Amino acid sequence: MLLEVRDLHVEFRTRDGVAKAVNGVTYGVDEGETLAVLGESGSGKSVTAQAVMGILDTPPGRITGGEVMFQGRDLLKLKEEERRRIRGAEMAMIFQDALSALNPVITVGDQLAEMFTVHRGLSRKDARAKAVELMDRVRIPAARERVRQYPHQFSGGMRQRIMIAMAIALEPALIIADEPTTALDVTVQAQVMELLAELQREYRMGLILITHDLGVVADVADRIAVMYAGRIVESAPVHDIYKAPAHPYTRGLLDSIPRLDHKGRELYAIKGLPPNLTRIPPGCPFHPRCPLARDVCTTDDPPLYEVSGTRGSACHFWRECLDG
Ligand code: SF4
């Protein structure tokens, strides 16, 4: 396995108390595989990714347990200097907001070229040529001219392509894309997702795709891990999830995707809000919002039950959920 996160715990100190943002998350991704991590905001999906990348805000964020095994090493045991070397060269991240992730006063060409001068020791001229090559690769038209432009001179979709170019520049083994298309309109979203999937296949990278939108992952993901209140509540191959979810929360997410054949019908929304992470409800954390909840759900925290060899669900009544 390229990356294996094992029983990861992350806490944040807040004015309200300790927020348990990640509570025993275990997931993995292999080379050439795409894992989609899905959940509403506050589910812990981005915090887990930040812990993997080593860019968690510390303090107030604190990793209180677990392992992050990457190519056989536990990243949590490495010195910051070593982690910095791994970031960019061996694992890279694509953020939702390219405008704030890119430096506004440096041309995109120089930002791309810097990856090669700093990490690969290339001359300025060779690094600039590589920058143009990369911009071509992510299909930015007139790359030779546009390499001299600043981030604000590009559209949202083009800026996201530049972020992708920066992420793949050093051909890392793993890319984490955190809501990479959320800020874009639907047509551009599809183009950017397609490009990301194509590059991932070409370079055989592991890809972790973080999203709140189950609709965008159907064509690109191999597996899905659904997160709620800082834990994985369902983990399964993508086709199994679309065929029949084994957790009521996954079912709720699926039912909230707009569908053409449901035109005119009111769109389903999961009732209520995700829990305050300083006061996670006892028992199953989803019980205040769950249409299948029974008494046992308010007291007994469900483990991740084995549904099949490749599938798990943290619901006492996963069989009922599977049956629809
Ligand atoms: Fe709903 Fe109970 Fe299953 Fe939790 S354990 S998801 S509350 S049915």
Side-chain angles (χ1 to χ4, degrees):
M1 188 70 69
L2 175 66
L3 173 84
E4 242 184 311
V5 176
R6 295 181 192 151
D7 197 23
L8 187 73
H9 291 256
V10 181
E11 293 180 354
F12 284 85
R13 292 199 176 281
T14 73
R15 261 184 302 170
D16 284 354
V18 175
K20 293 183 179 289
V22 178
N23 298 300
V25 164
T26 295
Y27 66 50
V29 64
D30 229 329
E31 82 177 32
E33 187 185 41
T34 297
L35 170 75
V37 182
L38 202 88
E40 292 162 293
S41 66
S43 60
K45 54 196 195 307
S46 296
V47 175
T48 306
Q50 286 161 11
V52 170
M53 285 297 290
I55 55 169
L56 201 63
D57 275 346
T58 47
R62 205 161 64 95
I63 295 171
T64 54
E67 291 176 337
V68 177
M69 302 301 295
F70 178 65
Q71 296 178 323
R73 294 160 292 182
D74 183 358
L75 297 184
L76 302 184
K77 295 208 173 97
L78 299 183
K79 296 210 170 71
E80 180 46 32
E81 196 189 324
E82 178 66 4
R83 294 214 68 180
R84 216 174 302 134
R85 200 196 59 71
I86 290 173
R87 269 197 302 275
E90 295 179 45
M91 55 166 71
M93 193 148 176
I94 298 168
F95 297 93
Q96 177 185 143
D97 182 4
L99 199 52
S100 53
L102 294 166
N103 189 326
V105 295
I106 300 179
T107 65
V108 296
D110 283 348
Q111 292 185 61
L112 281 167
E114 194 188 331
M115 307 282 299
F116 296 102
T117 52
V118 171
H119 288 272
R120 296 280 188 262
L122 259 56
S123 68
R124 262 182 69 84
K125 190 172 162 234
D126 289 348
R128 174 56 72 106
K130 280 276 193 195
V132 174
E133 207 178 283
L134 267 175
M135 285 174 69
D136 260 336
R137 185 67 199 81
V138 296
R139 299 198 205 100
I140 293 178
R144 204 165 288 281
E145 289 77 50
R146 301 207 73 184
V147 76
R148 289 186 217 97
Q149 292 185 332
Y150 293 89
H152 73 269
Q153 293 174 287
F154 290 81
S155 67
M158 287 296 151
R159 271 198 298 269
Q160 211 52 314
R161 285 171 190 264
I162 293 163
M163 285 285 292
I164 293 174
M166 290 192 78
I168 61 163
L170 304 175
E171 298 183 23
L174 175 72
I175 287 199
I176 302 180
D178 191 355
E179 306 269 9
T181 60
T182 303
L184 308 174
D185 72 49
V186 180
T187 333
V188 182
Q189 260 185 18
Q191 291 163 357
V192 170
M193 276 318 294
E194 220 171 85
L195 173 70
L196 195 54
E198 177 191 317
L199 293 168
Q200 185 255 351
R201 278 195 299 273
E202 185 180 324
Y203 292 95
R204 298 260 326 136
M205 296 177 295
L207 174 65
I208 297 179
L209 182 63
I210 297 168
T211 178
H212 65 277
D213 184 354
L214 197 43
V216 307
V217 301
D219 298 330
V220 290
D222 298 299
R223 291 187 60 78
I224 295 185
V226 181
M227 286 190 69
Y228 189 79
R231 40 186 109 183
I232 306 273
V233 294
E234 182 164 6
S235 165
V238 66
H239 300 298
D240 289 357
I241 292 226
Y242 279 93
K243 217 159 111 199
H247 194 284
Y249 180 59
T250 316
R251 177 167 294 283
L253 292 175
L254 262 180
D255 289 347
S256 8
I257 303 174
R259 288 173 48 168
L260 280 175
D261 56 337
H262 286 184
K263 218 171 150 196
R265 273 195 235 169
E266 202 176 320
L267 195 60
Y268 176 81
I270 302 170
K271 66 167 192 184
L273 292 171
N276 178 334
L277 296 173
T278 61
R279 288 186 291 276
I280 296 176
C284 171
F286 188 55
H287 82 257
R289 306 173 73 189
C290 180
L292 294 187
R294 325 258 164 90
D295 286 351
V296 65
C297 305
T298 62
T299 51
D300 292 13
D301 190 358
L304 195 71
Y305 294 105
E306 192 177 319
V307 174
S308 73
T310 54
R311 183 167 201 185
S313 166
C315 173
H316 297 306
F317 303 104
W318 61 265
R319 281 192 184 83
E320 235 171 87
C321 189
L322 260 186
D323 292 341

mmCIF file of all heavy atoms in Angstrom, residues 11-21 59-61 276-279:
data_model
loop_
_atom_site.group_PDB
_atom_site.id
_atom_site.type_symbol
_atom_site.label_atom_id
_atom_site.label_comp_id
_atom_site.label_asym_id
_atom_site.label_seq_id
_atom_site.Cartn_x
_atom_site.Cartn_y
_atom_site.Cartn_z
ATOM 1 N N GLU A 11 -7.000 16.432 17.531
ATOM 2 C CA GLU A 11 -7.852 17.304 18.366
ATOM 3 C C GLU A 11 -7.491 18.761 18.129
ATOM 4 O O GLU A 11 -6.358 19.082 17.778
ATOM 5 C CB GLU A 11 -7.591 17.007 19.849
ATOM 6 C CG GLU A 11 -8.029 15.643 20.286
ATOM 7 C CD GLU A 11 -7.748 15.400 21.775
ATOM 8 O OE1 GLU A 11 -7.103 16.260 22.431
ATOM 9 O OE2 GLU A 11 -8.158 14.352 22.259
ATOM 10 N N PHE A 12 -8.457 19.618 18.368
ATOM 11 C CA PHE A 12 -8.225 21.072 18.330
ATOM 12 C C PHE A 12 -8.680 21.674 19.645
ATOM 13 O O PHE A 12 -9.758 21.320 20.132
ATOM 14 C CB PHE A 12 -9.034 21.719 17.199
ATOM 15 C CG PHE A 12 -8.455 21.485 15.849
ATOM 16 C CD1 PHE A 12 -8.739 20.336 15.148
ATOM 17 C CD2 PHE A 12 -7.603 22.426 15.277
ATOM 18 C CE1 PHE A 12 -8.190 20.102 13.900
ATOM 19 C CE2 PHE A 12 -7.056 22.206 14.031
ATOM 20 C CZ PHE A 12 -7.349 21.042 13.333
ATOM 21 N N ARG A 13 -7.866 22.548 20.184
ATOM 22 C CA ARG A 13 -8.316 23.264 21.380
ATOM 23 C C ARG A 13 -9.109 24.478 20.918
ATOM 24 O O ARG A 13 -8.615 25.269 20.129
ATOM 25 C CB ARG A 13 -7.119 23.741 22.215
ATOM 26 C CG ARG A 13 -6.414 22.589 22.805
ATOM 27 C CD ARG A 13 -5.509 22.924 23.978
ATOM 28 N NE ARG A 13 -4.982 21.658 24.477
ATOM 29 C CZ ARG A 13 -5.656 20.829 25.246
ATOM 30 N NH1 ARG A 13 -6.851 21.147 25.678
ATOM 31 N NH2 ARG A 13 -5.140 19.687 25.626
ATOM 32 N N THR A 14 -10.342 24.598 21.366
ATOM 33 C CA THR A 14 -11.159 25.747 20.987
ATOM 34 C C THR A 14 -11.671 26.404 22.273
ATOM 35 O O THR A 14 -11.492 25.850 23.362
ATOM 36 C CB THR A 14 -12.386 25.311 20.150
ATOM 37 O OG1 THR A 14 -13.322 24.666 21.019
ATOM 38 C CG2 THR A 14 -12.014 24.364 19.029
ATOM 39 N N ARG A 15 -12.320 27.554 22.124
ATOM 40 C CA ARG A 15 -12.858 28.232 23.319
ATOM 41 C C ARG A 15 -13.937 27.397 24.005
ATOM 42 O O ARG A 15 -14.158 27.467 25.191
ATOM 43 C CB ARG A 15 -13.417 29.602 22.938
ATOM 44 C CG ARG A 15 -12.400 30.711 23.255
ATOM 45 C CD ARG A 15 -12.986 32.034 22.964
ATOM 46 N NE ARG A 15 -13.380 32.084 21.549
ATOM 47 C CZ ARG A 15 -14.100 33.042 21.011
ATOM 48 N NH1 ARG A 15 -14.528 34.032 21.755
ATOM 49 N NH2 ARG A 15 -14.385 33.050 19.731
ATOM 50 N N ASP A 16 -14.625 26.553 23.173
ATOM 51 C CA ASP A 16 -15.702 25.695 23.704
ATOM 52 C C ASP A 16 -15.182 24.422 24.355
ATOM 53 O O ASP A 16 -15.950 23.652 24.913
ATOM 54 C CB ASP A 16 -16.624 25.241 22.566
ATOM 55 C CG ASP A 16 -17.550 26.349 22.137
ATOM 56 O OD1 ASP A 16 -17.527 27.393 22.796
ATOM 57 O OD2 ASP A 16 -18.266 26.153 21.138
ATOM 58 N N GLY A 17 -13.900 24.145 24.195
ATOM 59 C CA GLY A 17 -13.338 22.895 24.723
ATOM 60 C C GLY A 17 -12.541 22.188 23.646
ATOM 61 O O GLY A 17 -12.225 22.781 22.605
ATOM 62 N N VAL A 18 -12.253 20.907 23.861
ATOM 63 C CA VAL A 18 -11.445 20.146 22.891
ATOM 64 C C VAL A 18 -12.363 19.591 21.802
ATOM 65 O O VAL A 18 -13.317 18.865 22.089
ATOM 66 C CB VAL A 18 -10.693 18.996 23.596
ATOM 67 C CG1 VAL A 18 -9.950 18.141 22.575
ATOM 68 C CG2 VAL A 18 -9.722 19.553 24.629
ATOM 69 N N ALA A 19 -12.079 19.971 20.543
ATOM 70 C CA ALA A 19 -12.863 19.452 19.419
ATOM 71 C C ALA A 19 -12.155 18.222 18.881
ATOM 72 O O ALA A 19 -10.996 18.288 18.464
ATOM 73 C CB ALA A 19 -12.985 20.519 18.331
ATOM 74 N N LYS A 20 -12.868 17.092 18.894
ATOM 75 C CA LYS A 20 -12.272 15.845 18.398
ATOM 76 C C LYS A 20 -12.552 15.757 16.897
ATOM 77 O O LYS A 20 -13.570 15.223 16.468
ATOM 78 C CB LYS A 20 -12.850 14.652 19.141
ATOM 79 C CG LYS A 20 -12.441 14.639 20.614
ATOM 80 C CD LYS A 20 -12.971 13.391 21.281
ATOM 81 C CE LYS A 20 -12.592 13.298 22.726
ATOM 82 N NZ LYS A 20 -11.229 13.034 23.025
ATOM 83 N N ALA A 21 -11.635 16.305 16.112
ATOM 84 C CA ALA A 21 -11.867 16.455 14.673
ATOM 85 C C ALA A 21 -11.683 15.148 13.911
ATOM 86 O O ALA A 21 -12.348 14.910 12.905
ATOM 87 C CB ALA A 21 -10.920 17.513 14.113
ATOM 88 N N PRO A 59 0.015 24.894 17.337
ATOM 89 C CA PRO A 59 -1.336 24.612 17.776
ATOM 90 C C PRO A 59 -2.310 25.493 16.970
ATOM 91 O O PRO A 59 -1.824 26.347 16.233
ATOM 92 C CB PRO A 59 -1.297 24.993 19.260
ATOM 93 C CG PRO A 59 -0.222 26.049 19.355
ATOM 94 C CD PRO A 59 0.748 25.774 18.253
ATOM 95 N N PRO A 60 -3.616 25.303 17.046
ATOM 96 C CA PRO A 60 -4.351 24.513 18.043
ATOM 97 C C PRO A 60 -4.499 23.026 17.689
ATOM 98 O O PRO A 60 -4.915 22.250 18.523
ATOM 99 C CB PRO A 60 -5.720 25.177 18.061
ATOM 100 C CG PRO A 60 -5.899 25.720 16.688
ATOM 101 C CD PRO A 60 -4.534 26.106 16.195
ATOM 102 N N GLY A 61 -4.157 22.607 16.434
ATOM 103 C CA GLY A 61 -4.354 21.201 16.058
ATOM 104 C C GLY A 61 -3.274 20.309 16.648
ATOM 105 O O GLY A 61 -2.108 20.720 16.732
ATOM 106 N N ASN A 276 -21.548 19.327 16.869
ATOM 107 C CA ASN A 276 -20.454 20.126 17.381
ATOM 108 C C ASN A 276 -19.379 19.142 17.864
ATOM 109 O O ASN A 276 -19.666 18.260 18.677
ATOM 110 C CB ASN A 276 -21.007 20.955 18.556
ATOM 111 C CG ASN A 276 -19.953 21.793 19.211
ATOM 112 O OD1 ASN A 276 -18.767 21.473 19.175
ATOM 113 N ND2 ASN A 276 -20.392 22.877 19.819
ATOM 114 N N LEU A 277 -18.167 19.293 17.355
ATOM 115 C CA LEU A 277 -17.141 18.277 17.633
ATOM 116 C C LEU A 277 -16.601 18.331 19.059
ATOM 117 O O LEU A 277 -15.837 17.477 19.480
ATOM 118 C CB LEU A 277 -15.996 18.405 16.617
ATOM 119 C CG LEU A 277 -16.423 18.113 15.177
ATOM 120 C CD1 LEU A 277 -15.289 18.418 14.208
ATOM 121 C CD2 LEU A 277 -16.869 16.663 15.009
ATOM 122 N N THR A 278 -17.012 19.355 19.823
ATOM 123 C CA THR A 278 -16.644 19.363 21.246
ATOM 124 C C THR A 278 -17.680 18.579 22.059
ATOM 125 O O THR A 278 -17.465 18.308 23.229
ATOM 126 C CB THR A 278 -16.559 20.799 21.814
ATOM 127 O OG1 THR A 278 -17.837 21.408 21.697
ATOM 128 C CG2 THR A 278 -15.524 21.640 21.078
ATOM 129 N N ARG A 279 -18.817 18.272 21.403
ATOM 130 C CA ARG A 279 -19.878 17.538 22.123
ATOM 131 C C ARG A 279 -20.506 16.505 21.184
ATOM 132 O O ARG A 279 -21.678 16.604 20.819
ATOM 133 C CB ARG A 279 -20.963 18.517 22.595
ATOM 134 C CG ARG A 279 -20.525 19.402 23.746
ATOM 135 C CD ARG A 279 -21.675 20.241 24.260
ATOM 136 N NE ARG A 279 -22.086 21.260 23.315
ATOM 137 C CZ ARG A 279 -21.507 22.448 23.190
ATOM 138 N NH1 ARG A 279 -20.484 22.779 23.962
ATOM 139 N NH2 ARG A 279 -21.925 23.322 22.304
#
